[in-house]
Amino acid sequence: MKLGIVGLPNVGKSTLFNAITKAGAQAANYPFCTIEPNTGIVPVPDSRLDVLAKMYDPKKVTPATIEFVDIAGLVKGASKGEGLGNKFLSHIREVDAIVHVVRCFEDENIIHVDGSVDPSRDIDVIQLELIFADLETLSRRVDKARKLVKNGDKKVTEQAELGTRLITHLEAGNPARTFPMTDSEKEIVNEWFLLTDKPVIYAANIADSDIGEGMDDLPYVKEVFAIAKQEGSQVFTVSAQIEEEIAMMEAEEKEEFLSELGLGQSGLDRLIGACYTLLGLISFLTSGSDECRAWTIVRGTKAPQAAGKIHTDFERGFIRAEVVAFDDLTSLGSMAACRERGLVRSEGKEYVMKDGDIVLFRFNV
């Protein structure tokens, strides 16, 4: 999973990236200090892996991972090349989802590119630039399809009609992700790789003094929640500055600090949770003395396709999946004990994987 962190200059984008990846990306109080995108890969926190590691004492423990890309600040006119815009837009095209950092704090020492803090306006600036870029892409697609319509190709006719309707939707200032589509239309739109079709998680970046109970009810943050609700996006409230401090702490100190702030989880944990919810992701686990590992799949994935995440041969030669629930394995202490109790299920090709399934795949190639 690859997430692109975007936002206007000086909204706390690179500070948040530093915090969640500990990558030390440059963060400075002037626009465009990030030019080439910084990337960092972080493990997905999963306490179930810790439990399995104690049980099996494996040679290796491998969590699922997420790649974060810190994309330089976008500005008004980016779709026309302003402020290195075209380059940045191409970086956004490569990610699975967008983390849009929105400034929700006042600080006279940190310059705002538009002179004042206004979350709704800032979100509109970014969204409109992505819409303009998509309109350019769609116009080319529709023109090409219309030229081929005279050949009587039914698919091309459908593309031209769908593209025209979508252009009208975008011209009204709406992102492609809010355009009502059938499953077959969604397949066509997916092939167009539109920027505004990507799922979005808004990171409402607040002052460190505002962290704690009631932070979701701050006026600026409520603006972000209202916009997200309209388009079916996710929001998490965060102080990038606090997250940078947390990133430097040891596990025990971090837990104590979060508790003092009245937070159950760090911003990174909440961001990853929002990503999984938004993208409809779950994890299954494999365990043994060699390795305990978490694997990320889309909710609704069947057993053979889940096996294919491990190796294509597993999917090609799939025979069955031996599945046990995490709670059953941990309460009884071993696969052997679970087998004795009849808790290890033998599942076939139609089995739909569940979050936390511990699986042993049987295959023959």
Side-chain angles (χ1 to χ4, degrees):
M1 181 163 55
K2 192 173 183 179
L3 302 178
I5 303 179
V6 306
L8 293 173
N10 299 341
V11 296
K13 195 169 47 61
S14 292
T15 303
L16 182 61
F17 173 82
N18 287 349
I20 61 182
T21 65
K22 300 182 187 177
Q26 186 180 12
N29 184 22
Y30 58 90
F32 310 122
C33 77
T34 308
I35 297 176
E36 290 302 326
N38 295 297
T39 62
I41 295 174
V42 302
V44 174
D46 194 332
S47 58
R48 297 170 300 195
L49 267 184
D50 299 331
V51 174
L52 292 176
K54 285 178 184 173
M55 188 183 296
Y56 285 94
D57 191 22
K59 295 172 188 170
K60 189 163 65 167
V61 177
T62 309
T65 58
I66 295 179
E67 181 179 356
F68 286 95
V69 184
D70 178 23
I71 297 166
L74 286 165
V75 292
K76 194 177 291 185
S79 59
K80 304 295 181 191
E82 290 293 326
L84 308 178
N86 290 329
K87 194 172 186 181
F88 303 158
L89 292 169
S90 71
H91 294 147
I92 297 172
R93 211 174 292 281
E94 295 167 6
V95 302
D96 300 307
I98 294 169
V99 179
H100 183 165
V101 182
V102 184
R103 179 169 168 176
C104 295
F105 65 90
E106 299 279 1
D107 188 335
E108 61 185 23
N109 296 314
I110 300 177
I111 303 159
H112 190 291
V113 73
D114 285 324
S116 63
V117 177
D118 185 337
S120 298
R121 178 204 59 210
D122 292 356
I123 288 171
D124 279 346
V125 168
I126 299 284
Q127 186 139 282
L128 282 171
E129 291 310 318
L130 301 185
I131 285 172
F132 290 147
D134 281 349
L135 281 168
E136 193 176 325
T137 299
L138 270 177
S139 296
R140 288 197 303 269
R141 294 276 187 176
V142 170
D143 286 346
K144 185 178 177 182
R146 282 176 179 157
K147 287 172 186 173
L148 297 171
V149 163
K150 56 188 174 187
N151 297 336
D153 187 325
K154 188 179 175 183
K155 186 179 178 182
V156 169
T157 304
E158 187 183 356
Q159 287 176 348
E161 188 273 332
L162 175 62
T164 302
R165 281 194 290 121
L166 186 47
I167 284 173
T168 303
H169 179 81
L170 291 170
E171 285 177 339
N174 303 307
R177 61 184 169 275
T178 64
F179 182 64
M181 287 178 273
T182 64
D183 288 343
S184 61
E185 286 174 338
K186 183 68 179 168
E187 284 179 21
I188 294 170
V189 172
N190 285 345
E191 293 173 3
W192 293 342
F193 300 104
L194 300 177
L195 300 174
T196 63
D197 194 36
K198 293 182 184 295
V200 170
I201 298 164
Y202 291 105
N205 187 18
I206 62 173
D208 55 356
S209 56
D210 288 330
I211 275 287
E213 192 176 340
M215 61 187 184
D216 287 351
D217 293 320
L218 295 166
Y220 286 149
V221 175
K222 286 171 82 171
E223 277 185 51
V224 180
F225 269 97
I227 291 166
K229 187 177 180 182
Q230 284 180 341
E231 58 183 57
S233 296
Q234 293 277 317
V235 184
F236 79 108
T237 309
V238 66
S239 164
Q241 199 171 350
I242 290 282
E243 289 302 314
E244 204 163 29
E245 289 177 36
I246 291 171
M248 307 306 291
M249 295 177 182
E250 297 298 329
E252 196 173 311
E253 185 187 6
K254 173 180 161 182
E255 202 171 308
E256 193 178 320
F257 185 62
L258 288 170
S259 179
E260 284 174 11
L261 292 173
L263 299 174
Q265 294 178 302
S266 69
L268 172 59
D269 291 352
R270 286 182 286 119
L271 171 57
I272 289 173
C275 292
Y276 269 61
T277 301
L278 187 68
L279 297 175
L281 302 174
I282 60 172
S283 295
F284 72 89
L285 306 157
T286 53
S287 57
S289 57
D290 283 336
E291 183 181 36
C292 290
R293 183 164 180 168
W295 305 83
T296 302
I297 53 173
V298 176
R299 190 179 297 279
T301 298
K302 292 184 177 179
Q305 287 69 49
K309 288 284 287 184
I310 299 174
H311 198 286
T312 51
D313 284 351
F314 284 29
E315 181 176 358
R316 192 158 53 92
F318 180 87
I319 298 172
R320 67 180 184 277
E322 294 179 4
V323 184
V324 64
F326 174 78
D327 288 345
D328 289 337
L329 179 63
T330 50
S331 64
L332 293 178
S334 71
M335 271 300 237
C338 289
R339 285 186 203 283
E340 285 175 18
R341 298 282 188 91
L343 295 174
V344 178
R345 309 185 310 275
S346 181
E347 303 287 1
K349 292 182 178 180
E350 294 305 309
Y351 176 68
V352 176
M353 302 291 291
K354 295 181 177 62
D355 187 48
D357 275 348
I358 298 172
V359 194
L360 174 63
F361 291 109
R362 299 294 185 185
F363 71 104
N364 182 34
V365 177

